[in-house]
Amino acid sequence: MAAEPASSGPQTRVNSRRSYNVVHPVDIETPPLASPAPASSPDVYREVKHFKKWVVWLIPVFVVANVIMFIITMYVNNCPKNSINCIATFLGRFSFQPFKENPLLGPSSSTLQKMGALDVNKVVHRHQGWLLITCNWLHGGVFHLLANMLSLLVIGYRLEQEFGFVRIGLLYVISGLGGSLLSSLFIQTNISVGASGALFGLLGAMLSELITNWSIYASKFGALFTLLVVIAINLAVGILPHVDNFAHIGGFLSGFFLGFVFLIRPQFGWVNQRYGPPGYASSQAKPKFKTYQCILWVLSVIILIVGFTVGLVMLLRGVDANKHCSWCHYLSCVPTSRWSCKTEPAYCTSSQTGNQLFLTCSSNGKNGTYTFANASNSQIQGLCSQLCS
């Protein structure tokens, strides 16, 4: 733990007994200058506003909002009406699509598109830019939702407690936007949903917070190593098929630079000066932030402004980043003998004769015959997804 700077008067106390090896200075209730308290008298503590503990409420609200959006999505999906086979039919219209179509226990891709999934074609050609935000509040299935919400509670609770709901809320939303932006530049054919970009933003912010507030950590290198291992494992999972690792990387980079801007803390010397007893001044005035903190703050603001501006301009111009980076697709999926990275959307040709619906999948050539009278577009899309999977 960093040592407290020496001064001629009483010092600000530091409480280092907390998780994640972060220390929190608190100042003391100071007696009047005319009657200083004896050295043996106990100190009375109150929180310094820069290090106070916040009441956590926004992260639980985010979790509830994501769960509610999933319930609404399943209600709209209405599998019994739009598909022949469903899982957990006792749930009625909340039952899930077949495993072959959606192994995550969730809705169909057409329903996700209807609810606001990220579709590059709609963003570029139909000017539906809000999809960059709405996709962060949708999930592909129960497994997807549970994994993200548990991660959000574990990571977000600590950050909101330390830095408050305003900074963490902005960090979460902007990181999610950064993840969607990078994803849309590389994922041109498939839709994308999930809060993973925002979650990786919180992980990135934890790393930059450790760097910019380096001196207040007790076990610096241990905390850094642990955090890097967690980040590496999560990014490694992203190379599996059907996982949008570009959203993870974009969210992580956005959160990393946002952490230098939002999660900066003043140095202990300045805290001691500001909250020390009146009449006692240190021999040398201390600036609020260290030089390297200010440099990182300025550089991060510039990088964020330039990065988001360039990314949005490229997206709105319909740029396919894969054409400018022939190897970048390996960042999201690495093909092996066990799986393929080709995940083209399902397209089918259809014809209706009486109650017979005939479908042909354009990607694999499979044919299917179904008994449907006046099948709707959503029903055809659901059957097509099963046929092509």
Side-chain angles (χ1 to χ4, degrees):
M1 184 178 73
E4 295 179 346
S7 71
S8 58
Q11 294 294 306
T12 300
R13 298 291 181 177
V14 177
N15 176 17
S16 62
R17 304 187 66 179
R18 58 178 293 275
S19 60
Y20 298 95
N21 298 315
V22 180
V23 295
H24 293 279
V26 293
D27 67 333
I28 56 174
E29 292 279 6
T30 57
L33 182 61
S35 55
S40 60
S41 63
D43 291 329
V44 180
Y45 297 95
R46 63 182 175 88
E47 288 185 311
V48 175
K49 73 172 184 176
H50 301 283
F51 295 87
K52 75 175 185 178
K53 294 283 188 178
W54 292 80
V55 175
V56 179
W57 64 269
L58 185 63
I59 292 300
V61 167
F62 281 170
V63 172
V64 172
N66 278 278
V67 173
I68 290 175
M69 283 303 303
F70 182 73
I71 293 173
I72 295 174
T73 302
M74 293 306 303
Y75 180 85
V76 173
N77 185 65
N78 195 4
C79 182
K81 179 181 178 181
N82 299 312
S83 299
I84 295 178
N85 299 316
C86 298
I87 298 175
T89 53
F90 63 89
L91 295 175
R93 66 184 299 154
F94 293 98
S95 55
F96 309 111
Q97 296 298 121
F99 268 119
K100 192 174 182 180
E101 180 183 352
N102 187 342
L104 298 176
L105 287 182
S108 65
S109 58
S110 59
T111 299
L112 290 172
Q113 285 181 301
K114 187 186 302 183
M115 294 298 297
L118 179 58
D119 186 332
V120 177
N121 181 63
K122 291 181 178 179
V123 174
V124 176
H125 301 292
R126 302 183 189 179
H127 307 293
Q128 298 180 7
W130 60 83
L131 298 179
L132 295 169
I133 298 295
T134 56
C135 65
N136 293 302
W137 303 91
L138 300 174
H139 288 83
V142 174
F143 298 142
H144 189 199
L145 178 69
L146 287 176
N148 279 349
M149 292 306 99
L150 289 175
S151 300
L152 178 58
L153 286 173
V154 171
I155 300 171
Y157 186 93
R158 175 250 165 176
L159 286 174
E160 185 180 350
Q161 187 180 50
E162 300 295 331
F163 297 98
F165 68 93
V166 175
R167 285 185 279 183
I168 301 307
L170 288 173
L171 198 155
Y172 182 90
V173 173
I174 299 174
S175 296
L177 174 61
S180 299
L181 186 57
L182 188 65
S183 173
S184 62
L185 291 175
F186 286 95
I187 308 297
Q188 298 284 315
T189 56
N190 296 319
I191 64 172
S192 179
V193 294
S196 301
L199 287 172
F200 271 81
L202 297 183
L203 276 176
M206 290 179 69
L207 179 59
S208 56
E209 188 266 332
L210 171 60
I211 295 172
T212 194
N213 302 320
W214 185 254
S215 62
I216 70 173
Y217 276 79
S219 302
K220 298 176 175 60
F221 292 101
L224 178 62
F225 176 78
T226 301
L227 187 55
L228 289 176
V229 169
V230 171
I231 293 171
I233 292 174
N234 281 274
L235 288 175
V237 172
I239 66 174
L240 297 173
H242 307 292
V243 179
D244 185 1
N245 210 29
F246 287 114
H248 298 172
I249 296 171
F252 176 82
L253 292 176
S254 300
F256 179 72
F257 290 113
L258 286 168
F260 290 120
V261 178
F262 289 152
L263 308 186
I264 186 173
R265 289 190 186 276
Q267 59 174 317
F268 283 144
W270 179 86
V271 174
N272 278 332
Q273 282 181 176
R274 184 178 179 95
Y275 296 98
Y280 294 97
S282 61
S283 58
Q284 183 178 3
K286 298 284 186 180
K288 184 175 183 179
F289 301 109
K290 296 182 179 180
T291 303
Y292 79 88
Q293 290 178 306
C294 297
I295 293 174
L296 289 172
W297 191 94
V298 173
L299 289 176
S300 296
V301 169
I302 295 173
I303 292 172
L304 286 166
I305 293 175
V306 172
F308 274 89
T309 301
V310 172
L312 286 171
V313 170
M314 291 176 63
L315 173 61
L316 295 178
R317 289 185 176 180
V319 174
D320 184 354
N322 294 288
K323 295 180 180 180
H324 303 278
C325 181
S326 59
W327 56 268
C328 284
H329 61 279
Y330 292 115
L331 294 175
S332 186
C333 182
V334 177
T336 68
S337 59
R338 294 182 175 272
W339 64 70
S340 171
C341 292
K342 295 180 180 180
T343 56
E344 297 180 358
Y347 293 106
C348 296
T349 57
S350 63
S351 61
Q352 182 90 40
T353 304
N355 291 338
Q356 298 297 310
L357 174 66
F358 304 95
L359 294 179
T360 301
C361 178
S362 57
S363 59
N364 58 23
K366 290 183 179 180
N367 298 308
T369 304
Y370 309 92
T371 302
F372 257 103
N374 300 321
S376 64
N377 289 333
S378 59
Q379 290 173 328
I380 294 175
Q381 182 60 43
L383 294 171
C384 180
S385 298
Q386 298 178 41
L387 186 64
C388 294
S389 58

